[in-house]
Amino acid sequence: MLHRRPYNETSLLVDLFTEESGRLTVLAKGARAKRSALKSLLQPFTPLLLRWTGKGDLKILTKAEAVSLALPLEHTALYSAFYINELVCRVIENETPYPQLFQDYLHCLTALAASQSTLTGQNTQAKSVEPFLRKFEFQLLQTLGYGVDFLHCAGSGLPVEPQMSYQYRAEQGFIASLLKNNQTFYGDELLIFASLAFDKLGAEQKHILQAAKRFTRMALKPYLGSQPLKSRELFQGILPGKMKG
């Protein structure tokens, strides 16, 4: 379940991300009633088996069954998972299958949950989620058809050099340049972008994660539009200055 909201007095409108049908919205009749079994099942980050009926945009949920317990997400990992949910809700087309992205989504949530079991201290945990968020953002861009060549200069076609600086040009790629501004990226950063090996970076390569975040913000902006992400606002309100989405 990605998101849910009240509908009439006792029901819910529920946004789902499914393996075979992609993102869709279902009406869960009576799910807000005190004795409804759906009330406890329709929770974020709980794997579900679902059935629904209907041919229009709004389906009717007929059955829900938990496959396992909800993923144990807390603190930074939990807010990061809400950020991932909001990205999926905002940018992918309704009722379009994205089986690979569904697997990427599950892997991201599982990695966020696992990060909590080996870490102590909120600040350390907050840093640990960065590689998983960045990787999912790049995978999401790939799913959307955002094809950028990180391995070659868009101007010359030559292979990217680790120490060379490049200017990012939307819908073109990266062009070798000596200019230094917000659209400047270095070759070592682009090579990691291509490999998605964000979880293999050492402490001295923190700048690569920062560059990846800067790139995905720019690349996702056309898909997200001008409306701010609510998950970022929520996180900033709870942990000022430590938003990791």
Side-chain angles (χ1 to χ4, degrees):
M1 189 196 79
L2 298 174
H3 180 65
R4 71 181 195 180
R5 52 205 180 276
Y7 184 81
N8 291 337
E9 294 183 0
T10 61
S11 300
L12 289 170
L13 287 176
V14 185
D15 295 320
L16 303 170
F17 188 30
T18 69
E19 185 171 15
E20 296 182 358
S21 301
R23 181 176 64 83
L24 69 155
T25 301
V26 299
L27 173 61
K29 294 184 176 180
R32 296 169 63 200
K34 292 182 179 180
R35 296 184 180 180
S36 174
L38 291 175
K39 188 174 184 179
S40 59
L41 283 175
L42 297 176
Q43 301 291 334
F45 319 121
T46 300
L48 299 169
L49 288 175
L50 302 165
R51 289 182 182 176
W52 58 84
T53 60
K55 297 182 179 180
D57 292 336
L58 181 61
K59 318 297 183 185
I60 306 298
L61 184 66
T62 58
K63 184 177 181 180
E65 179 182 343
V67 177
S68 65
L69 297 175
L71 289 171
L73 294 159
E74 297 180 343
H75 306 302
T76 302
L78 176 61
Y79 299 120
S80 298
F82 279 126
Y83 166 71
I84 293 299
N85 273 8
E86 189 171 9
L87 278 183
V88 172
C89 269
R90 291 274 294 271
V91 306
I92 68 171
E93 294 182 2
N94 200 33
E95 295 189 51
T96 301
Y98 296 100
Q100 183 56 56
L101 183 65
F102 184 84
Q103 294 301 319
D104 295 336
Y105 170 81
L106 288 181
H107 291 156
C108 181
L109 293 184
T110 302
L112 290 174
S115 72
Q116 301 172 125
S117 62
T118 58
L119 297 168
T120 58
Q122 188 167 299
N123 290 338
T124 304
Q125 183 188 71
K127 293 178 182 178
S128 76
V129 304
E130 291 272 8
F132 312 128
L133 296 181
R134 301 293 81 83
K135 183 176 182 179
F136 182 78
E137 288 169 342
F138 275 81
Q139 291 169 329
L140 178 59
L141 286 167
Q142 291 174 355
T143 298
L144 295 171
Y146 197 90
V148 174
D149 186 353
F150 298 110
L151 298 177
H152 299 87
C153 172
S156 66
L158 294 174
V160 162
E161 297 290 340
Q163 302 306 317
M164 179 70 74
S165 60
Y166 297 84
Q167 282 284 298
Y168 170 63
R169 294 287 182 265
E171 300 181 1
Q172 296 182 41
F174 296 86
I175 300 174
S177 173
L178 296 178
L179 289 175
K180 299 293 186 294
N181 54 34
N182 192 53
Q183 293 181 305
T184 298
F185 295 85
Y186 289 90
D188 63 335
E189 297 166 347
L190 300 183
L191 295 174
I192 294 296
F193 293 1
S195 69
L196 298 182
F198 298 113
D199 58 337
K200 302 296 193 295
L201 297 176
E204 73 283 358
Q205 296 173 299
K206 184 179 179 180
H207 68 282
I208 296 180
L209 283 173
Q210 294 171 338
K213 182 175 182 177
R214 179 160 46 93
F215 171 75
T216 56
R217 288 283 177 92
M218 290 189 289
L220 286 169
K221 187 175 181 179
Y223 299 98
L224 293 171
S226 58
Q227 184 178 355
L229 288 164
K230 294 181 179 179
S231 53
R232 284 178 184 163
E233 294 179 343
L234 173 64
F235 205 169
Q236 288 169 340
I238 297 173
L239 297 173
K242 295 182 179 180
M243 177 58 200
K244 296 301 177 183

